[in-house]
Amino acid sequence: MAHGHQHQHQHQHQHEHAAHARGSDATPNGLPEILDLDAALFAPHLTALTGRIACLAGDDVRSVVDLGSGTGTGTFALLERFPTARVTAVDSSPEMLERLASAARDRGLGDRVRTLEADAGAGLPGVADADLVWASASLHHLDDPATALAGIRAALRPGGLLAVAEVDGMPTFLPEDGEPGALERRCREALDGLHAERLPHRGADWGSLLTAAGFSVEQERAEPWELRAPLPEGAGRYAYLVFERVRDSLVGRISPEDLAALDRLVDGGPEDVRHRDDLVVRSMRETWMARRPV
Ligand SMILES: C[S@@+](CC[C@H](N)C(=O)[O-])C[C@H]1O[C@@H](n2cnc3c(N)ncnc32)[C@H](O)[C@@H]1O
């Protein structure tokens, strides 16, 4: 019976991995749900961040661009923060934009959101005089930061604000001491190697790049976003989805033992992150607030 269950589970797991393998870079499986869970779990942190933006941008923000919007974390947080604002959500993925537009309709916000499918690194067609551009976990995806920042600067009105947020790597969940923490550190290291090849601007010195692009950097901050027990609903599912993606990305890049250890975190068994009560969700966020000079 136990063996049958394990077999069924392995089969299901293989099936899930095969499904992941079918995803493209533009529409990676699991990512939209991870982004939505990230927004829900860290909602209080996000509220504090949009509060900081309001201190710099003022309350009269009407025209906002969410650059690399994903499923709309920034779009919805900023619509709430600035009640008279409209947001143009820009993304290269039509699936992300469809999901965002549908969520906007569900929330009764459809008339305040416009979606724009575009490569945000090549300028923002039809966007001008924006009061605020928000770019969260997106700038490092763009091919050439200097060209991208010039396009953003051109889309802002003089005096307008660019808020950049970047994450310093995969979030962590396991107790830091002992083998679980060591496993996560090895995974983060292996992911850093992968990203260095595929996303060379991840971890770039955005402060210097912003200054070089003609922005005036008014704030630069790194802060840990952390969730401890009692964890909000969805934290286990978030950990599960992150480890699934990490596991799939690192096949051939970590040892078979580490791969097996990752499998045990998502296999429904006793170590599965969905059932554990010792998780701490940690994610380091870096932010830059930069203004287009008047
Ligand atoms: C990690 S997600 C971040 C989403 C969202 N900003 C958030 O904080 O939840 C990165 C997003 O950037 C988008 N993206 C990647 N390259 C892009 C490009 N060249 N132009 C526009 N969007 C891009 C991806 O489709 C994805 O939705």
Side-chain angles (χ1 to χ4, degrees):
M1 185 69 180
H3 178 78
H5 174 77
Q6 188 184 2
H7 176 79
Q8 183 192 349
H9 196 87
Q10 277 172 354
H11 177 77
Q12 183 190 345
H13 202 202
Q14 280 160 3
H15 175 77
E16 285 171 3
H17 286 154
H20 276 220
R22 285 194 296 275
S24 71
D25 271 359
T27 57
N29 287 305
L31 182 57
E33 191 182 349
I34 290 177
L35 296 178
D36 283 348
L37 281 168
D38 191 86
L41 292 168
F42 288 114
H45 299 77
L46 198 58
T47 301
L49 178 51
T50 62
R52 269 207 287 136
I53 292 173
C55 285
L56 293 174
D59 289 333
D60 191 25
V61 167
R62 286 161 193 254
S63 164
V64 176
V65 176
D66 183 358
L67 186 138
S69 60
T71 54
T73 300
T75 294
F76 296 117
L78 293 166
L79 285 174
E80 190 175 340
R81 172 64 66 187
F82 300 110
T84 56
R86 288 170 186 271
V87 175
T88 301
V90 185
D91 206 286
S92 54
S93 159
E95 288 82 2
M96 290 287 189
L97 292 175
E98 272 163 32
R99 191 168 166 131
L100 187 155
S102 155
R105 283 192 299 273
D106 290 349
R107 296 174 188 217
L109 295 168
D111 58 340
R112 295 177 62 200
V113 177
R114 178 172 83 97
T115 58
L116 174 61
E117 185 186 332
D119 172 7
L124 297 169
V127 182
D129 289 325
D131 298 308
L132 171 66
V133 174
W134 158 270
S136 169
S138 56
L139 280 191
H140 67 269
H141 284 279
L142 308 181
D143 287 340
D144 175 26
T147 308
L149 292 177
I152 293 170
R153 194 175 183 279
L156 278 168
R157 67 166 168 78
L161 195 72
L162 166 59
V164 175
E166 289 282 319
V167 183
D168 88 333
M170 71 172 259
T172 59
F173 302 93
L174 303 175
E176 283 177 280
D177 294 338
E179 184 44 31
L183 171 69
E184 272 188 332
R185 285 189 288 279
R186 288 194 294 277
C187 288
R188 276 174 66 95
E189 212 170 290
L191 282 172
D192 285 346
L194 177 69
H195 289 140
E197 291 165 23
R198 297 196 185 160
L199 295 168
H201 305 303
R202 195 164 157 275
D205 180 357
W206 292 105
S208 300
L209 290 166
L210 286 161
T211 304
F215 285 92
S216 154
V217 179
E218 298 188 359
Q219 269 186 25
E220 185 167 343
R221 199 178 280 189
E223 54 192 6
W225 287 13
E226 196 169 287
L227 302 169
R228 290 180 170 274
L231 289 175
E233 206 187 323
R237 171 87 185 151
Y238 178 69
Y240 169 82
L241 291 169
V242 168
F243 279 118
E244 277 270 279
R245 274 175 68 79
V246 167
R247 190 253 179 237
D248 286 358
S249 305
L250 294 184
V251 174
R253 288 179 174 265
I254 52 174
S255 69
E257 293 76 22
D258 280 353
L259 209 54
L262 284 179
D263 277 338
R264 289 195 297 277
L265 297 176
V266 294
D267 70 357
E271 292 176 49
D272 190 296
V273 289
R274 288 168 292 183
H275 316 142
R276 295 170 69 135
D277 58 9
D278 62 349
L279 300 185
V280 176
V281 187
R282 293 184 210 88
S283 177
M284 183 61 85
R285 311 277 165 141
E286 292 179 72
T287 51
W288 293 261
M289 304 288 174
R291 199 179 297 278
R292 174 178 171 174
V294 178

